[in-house]
């Protein structure tokens, strides 16, 4: 590490920060100095000027920078952890509910530290039960939904609390317990929280209310069955989802 006080200039804070955040926090991945985290305080013709956690002033040449997260892109905290403010994010998640299991993969764009929108697809398995005069039936409907989603971040401190909504088309497919399925609309909305980390990958948890539509024929494999059974249902379920988001 080498220290310099040459060419320092003022670098105004880009936007309001959480009270726990480092002013003008940035992360620089360099070829020879490793990863540098701290406050971005200025720039001269060939280098960026950063004050690190130890209050050393460091000059990083443009030619030595492999990747840089600017203050408008991240919120940096103590202990080297950060959140994304903007940019592309890949989300991967798995959720469970009563007689339901859902997997999602989506690409999202955070336009500023408050709003995010994206598109994705998934694999859902939803079940329901009913009784007839001679037996109890369990029916499971599989689907590969396509959807659009939006997120509003209403707390931008150490934990990002947000509201989320997802809408799309279920794309139901036949299974061993149901066939002749028709597609239906799906909607899901709820709240979640994203946890800061040192790496590109952030963990999140969500609690949501899920709605999806399906109709078709349920297989009746009982000995006394006269025919299969038609159904038209709305799946309504509370889901708990664990996921990860990965930035650039």
């Amino acid at each position: 590490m080498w220290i310099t006080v040459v060419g320092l200039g003022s670098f105004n804070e880009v936007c309001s920060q959480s009270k726990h955040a480092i002013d003008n926090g940035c992360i620089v991945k360099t070829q020879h100095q490793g990863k540098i985290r701290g406050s971005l305080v200025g720039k001269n013709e060939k280098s960026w000027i950063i004050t690190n956690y130890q209050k050393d002033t460091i000059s990083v040449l443009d030619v030595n920078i492999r990747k840089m997260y600017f203050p408008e892109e991240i919120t940096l905290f103590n202990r080297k952890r950060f959140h994304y403010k903007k940019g592309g994010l890949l989300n991967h998640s798995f959720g469970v509910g009563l007689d339901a299991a859902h997997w999602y993969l989506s690409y999202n764009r955070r336009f500023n530290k408050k709003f995010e929108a994206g598109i994705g697809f998934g694999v859902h398995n939803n079940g329901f039960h009913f009784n007839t005069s001679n037996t109890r039936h369990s029916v499971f409907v599989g689907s590969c939904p396509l959807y659009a989603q939006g997120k509003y971040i209403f707390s931008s401190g150490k934990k990002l609390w947000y509201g989320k909504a997802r809408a799309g088309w279920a794309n139901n497919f036949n299974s061993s317990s149901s066939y002749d399925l028709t597609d239906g609309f799906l909607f899901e909305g709820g709240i979640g929280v994203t946890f800061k980390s040192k790496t590109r990958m952030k963990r999140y948890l969500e609690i949501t209310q899920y709605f999806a539509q399906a109709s078709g024929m349920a297989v009746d494999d009982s000995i006394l069955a006269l025919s299969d059974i038609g159904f038209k249902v709305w799946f309504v379920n509370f889901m708990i989802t664990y996921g990860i988001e990965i930035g650039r």
Side-chain angles (χ1 to χ4, degrees):
M1 179 184 296
W2 53 282
I3 309 300
T4 181
V5 293
V6 179
L8 289 179
S10 63
F11 195 90
N12 294 326
E13 188 175 355
V14 174
C15 59
S16 60
Q17 297 273 20
S18 161
K19 65 180 180 179
H20 303 289
I22 294 172
D23 289 344
N24 297 315
C26 70
I27 300 174
V28 183
K29 296 180 181 180
T30 68
Q31 294 182 14
H32 308 296
Q33 296 166 277
K35 190 179 293 184
I36 299 170
R37 297 175 174 88
S39 296
L40 185 60
V41 296
K43 189 182 189 307
N44 56 35
E45 291 183 356
K46 296 183 179 180
S47 60
W48 295 90
I49 314 302
I50 300 165
T51 301
N52 67 11
Y53 285 96
Q54 290 74 40
K55 305 303 181 184
D56 297 326
T57 301
I58 305 168
S59 180
V60 183
L61 295 173
D62 284 333
V63 295
N64 291 331
I65 294 176
R66 297 172 55 191
K67 182 184 290 187
M68 186 166 181
Y69 294 99
F70 290 95
E72 65 266 26
E73 297 177 308
I74 64 166
T75 302
L76 182 64
F77 299 91
N78 291 323
R79 299 174 63 190
K80 303 179 180 180
R81 289 167 168 79
F82 71 98
H83 279 304
Y84 294 108
K85 288 181 183 175
K86 61 185 292 186
L89 297 168
L90 182 68
N91 278 204
H92 178 262
S93 64
F94 182 76
V96 294
L98 184 63
D99 292 322
H102 298 168
W103 171 84
Y104 289 110
L105 183 67
S106 67
Y107 177 79
N108 310 279
R109 193 80 184 174
R110 190 164 294 168
F111 298 101
N112 55 48
K113 65 178 184 177
K114 290 292 185 182
F115 296 98
E116 180 182 310
I119 57 174
F121 68 96
V123 177
H124 291 184
N125 192 18
N126 297 297
F128 67 95
H129 309 277
F130 64 93
N131 296 318
T132 59
S133 59
N134 57 345
T135 190
R136 177 175 173 81
H137 303 272
S138 296
V139 181
F140 291 91
V141 176
S143 63
C144 290
L146 300 175
Y147 61 87
Q149 66 180 23
K151 180 188 291 185
Y152 177 75
I153 299 169
F154 49 80
S155 176
S156 56
K158 292 183 178 181
K159 297 181 178 65
L160 295 186
W161 291 92
Y162 58 85
K164 186 174 186 178
R166 176 185 294 123
W169 198 246
N171 295 308
N172 301 314
F173 56 82
N174 297 335
S175 67
S176 59
S177 65
S178 57
Y179 63 96
D180 285 349
L181 293 171
T182 59
D183 298 332
F185 176 78
L186 72 84
F187 176 81
E188 190 170 5
I191 60 172
V193 58
T194 302
F195 303 95
K196 65 186 186 301
S197 73
K198 296 180 182 179
T199 67
R200 296 167 55 199
M201 187 179 75
K202 316 296 177 188
R203 297 173 296 112
Y204 62 86
L205 289 173
E206 295 175 354
I207 299 176
T208 56
Q209 175 75 74
Y210 173 85
F211 303 88
Q213 189 178 24
S215 62
M217 298 296 294
V219 175
D220 189 347
D221 55 5
S222 64
I223 298 174
L224 300 177
L226 298 176
S227 67
D228 291 338
I229 303 165
F231 66 89
K232 185 174 183 180
V233 297
W234 275 95
F235 295 106
V236 180
N237 215 333
F238 283 103
M239 303 297 297
I240 298 176
T241 298
Y242 169 82
I244 59 173
E245 68 174 25
I246 303 173
R248 68 174 179 85

